[in-house]
Amino acid sequence: HRGPNDEHNHRLLLQFDSFFLQRRCFTMVALTSSSPWLIATSLLLSAGVTTSFTPSLHVRSSIAVSSLKASETATEYDTVKVDLTDGRDYPIYIGSDFTDDEAAALIRPHVHGKRVLLVTNDRIEHWYLDRYKKLLEGDGIQVDTVVLPDGEANKTFECMSMVLDRALELNMDRKSTFVALGGGVIGDMVGFASAIYQRGVNFIQIPTTVMSMVDSSVGGKTGVNHPLGKNMVGAFHQPQCVFIDTTTLNTLPDRELKSGYSEVVKYGLIRDAPFFAWQEENMEKLLDRDPTTTRYAIKRSCENKAEVVKADEKEGGVRATLNLGHTFGHAIETESGYGTFFHGEGVSIGTAMAATMSEKMGWIDEGLKQRTFDILEKAGLPIKLPKESPMTVEAFNRLMSLDKKVADGQLRLILLRGELGNCEFTGDFDVDAMQKTIEEFVKDIDA
């Protein structure tokens, strides 16, 4: 199977017959650019083994060899492919409890050149920085690091410039690779820095939060906030791969864990009704951090995101539907001050507002609106503005008019329409229904 983006990064999967190796089956992964490829090929020919390759969006795999040395334990993982044009396809690896050798075997082939700039924040640093620095090193790769301040309030051009400053100080060239280790804030800033450094270098996403695993690390949206609007400065720049080890969620605070599940709920509402029903049955397990349930939720979310990105990479149409609740939610985040709400909390209230507006317009029935409210509350997410909220009708209208989905002065929204799993991205909506929805939610602040 030829790896994405670099014809020198090949991975040869050798399935040994149970006759070999004392009747134990091993999967051998040869991560090569030169001689190891020849070694793996010669092993295949001399052993006379058969191969089978099954291309698909989702591949279940296992790692049993690191540096061509077999191990009797293997970590099972899922691979979701983001299928783009011009050889820019890339994999999303999803598993848990990867060993250092296993993680290195998956990530390191996507490093272009011999220089890596590993970027994280000052909260993640003591948990994971040393580990990923060590596993990225090897094969002559030099790894330097940058630690940024944590939090949405620091998602600024000034903070992102620290990455550029460090890269320039180190004299890093266009063959360098930036690696984002952290949540959505780190991923967005490192991705943006890699998009503009020397007009573009490669980067890799290693997300550590639910939000970044299921949404922001996939699809190439990068950027920073501006005082007048969230994510208003940025670029589309796709990663070389996304590596997800759900074990990192063990150190994620409960509030941030819940915040991420607003994006998971979104996929069910807009395009995947069976997934929504599954969430209704399994939300408690997700909040309890059950590994199998969590891995499935992340995988299915990534599959949904990958399908949408394939159809509309630059958000000219269908990709905009992934912003359900975001127009209302971004207004809440901006007016409240970045960092007051987690992104998923703002999106949750915004999704409740979108469902309310859709019901007022007669696009969905009361039952679907209530199911939307119920699943968000089951996830421990807010569906109303808190009493200390600074939001007003004027603030909503002002900030929503600056939304990135505005075209030719026309505000466009993502609204639910019809049966569960359907939505519409449109500027042709009932303005009176929108105003009544805003007034209703603002009135709840006083109540």
Side-chain angles (χ1 to χ4, degrees), residues 30-43:
L31 304 165
T32 78
S33 60
S34 56
S35 58
W37 172 259
L38 300 177
I39 295 170
T41 305
S42 64
L43 283 170

Side-chain angles (χ1 to χ4, degrees), residues 67-356:
S67 301
L68 299 177
K69 293 181 180 179
S71 168
E72 296 203 16
T73 61
T75 298
E76 188 179 71
Y77 65 96
D78 298 297
T79 302
V80 176
K81 180 183 178 184
V82 181
D83 189 7
L84 299 172
T85 58
D86 303 326
R88 294 179 300 118
D89 302 350
Y90 59 90
I92 308 166
Y93 304 116
I94 307 164
S96 60
D97 294 314
F98 290 101
T99 68
D100 288 356
D101 285 345
E102 290 171 342
L106 290 174
I107 301 170
R108 205 182 291 164
H110 300 284
V111 173
H112 293 195
K114 297 297 183 181
R115 300 290 301 278
V116 167
L117 188 60
L118 176 60
V119 187
T120 191
N121 64 44
D122 53 14
R123 192 172 61 162
I124 294 294
E125 176 187 9
H126 77 280
W127 289 108
Y128 306 115
L129 182 60
D130 286 345
R131 183 201 180 199
Y132 280 95
K133 182 178 186 297
K134 289 175 183 176
L135 67 84
L136 282 166
E137 291 173 336
D139 300 328
I141 296 173
Q142 176 184 333
V143 181
D144 293 283
T145 63
V146 180
V147 178
L148 303 180
D150 179 43
E152 188 78 27
N154 293 304
K155 190 179 175 182
T156 64
F157 196 92
E158 291 74 21
C159 190
M160 185 270 294
S161 293
M162 294 170 63
V163 180
L164 303 176
D165 293 344
R166 183 65 172 152
L168 288 166
E169 291 167 0
L170 294 167
N171 196 29
M172 302 188 84
D173 59 30
R174 284 183 173 174
K175 291 289 287 183
S176 302
T177 298
F178 291 3
V179 178
L181 173 63
V185 172
I186 287 292
D188 282 7
M189 286 199 292
V190 176
F192 187 30
S194 68
I196 61 177
Y197 183 70
Q198 297 192 4
R199 296 189 175 90
V201 296
N202 296 308
F203 88 109
I204 291 170
Q205 290 269 22
I206 306 178
T208 60
T209 65
V210 174
M211 177 66 68
S212 55
M213 290 176 183
V214 303
D215 185 60
S216 61
S217 68
V218 180
K221 277 189 178 182
T222 73
V224 295
N225 297 331
H226 187 278
L228 296 180
K230 184 176 172 65
N231 294 331
M232 294 301 288
V233 182
F236 287 96
H237 188 54
Q238 300 291 345
Q240 299 300 301
C241 77
V242 180
F243 178 79
I244 297 173
D245 186 342
T246 61
T247 309
T248 61
L249 299 180
N250 293 340
T251 57
L252 189 68
D254 286 344
R255 184 183 168 197
E256 289 186 64
L257 184 86
K258 294 171 183 176
S259 172
Y261 282 116
S262 65
E263 298 285 2
V264 177
V265 169
K266 169 193 71 180
Y267 292 118
L269 283 170
I270 66 171
R271 68 189 315 272
D272 194 344
F275 187 35
F276 185 90
W278 178 89
Q279 292 174 51
E280 290 178 312
E281 295 295 322
N282 290 277
M283 187 55 72
E284 289 183 6
K285 289 183 179 179
L286 291 173
L287 296 182
D288 287 340
R289 306 171 193 248
D290 176 73
T292 302
T293 311
T294 299
R295 178 173 153 188
Y296 176 76
I298 293 169
K299 175 182 73 69
R300 189 67 197 125
S301 296
C302 288
E303 288 172 340
N304 274 291
K305 182 75 177 278
E307 290 168 3
V308 172
V309 171
K310 177 183 179 180
D312 178 23
E313 181 184 356
K314 298 294 181 68
E315 201 172 280
V318 67
R319 184 169 180 177
T321 63
L322 296 176
N323 291 300
L324 174 70
H326 285 56
T327 303
F328 294 112
H330 284 174
I332 294 168
E333 288 184 78
T334 302
E335 185 71 5
S336 302
Y338 297 127
T340 302
F341 284 94
F342 285 129
H343 174 60
E345 294 170 336
V347 168
S348 179
I349 300 170
T351 299
M353 295 181 73
T356 299

Side-chain angles (χ1 to χ4, degrees), residues 373-442:
F373 280 31
D374 289 347
I375 191 68
L376 292 170
E377 288 194 300
K378 198 170 186 178
L381 290 163
I383 57 172
K384 294 182 179 181
L385 291 163
K387 62 181 181 180
E388 66 273 13
S389 173
M391 295 307 298
T392 63
V393 173
E394 183 278 330
F396 269 113
N397 288 326
R398 170 172 46 84
L399 291 166
M400 289 168 64
S401 71
L402 300 173
D403 188 82
K404 295 186 294 299
K405 294 177 290 299
V406 171
D408 297 325
Q410 173 68 54
L411 175 63
R412 298 182 294 173
L413 297 173
I414 297 88
L415 299 169
L416 302 177
R417 187 163 195 172
E419 298 298 319
L420 173 65
N422 292 279
C423 67
E424 187 166 321
F425 174 45
T426 180
D428 185 17
F429 55 79
D430 185 342
V431 176
D432 186 55
M434 182 183 75
Q435 291 302 318
K436 286 181 178 178
T437 298
I438 293 172
E439 290 169 4
E440 180 179 315
F441 276 74
V442 169

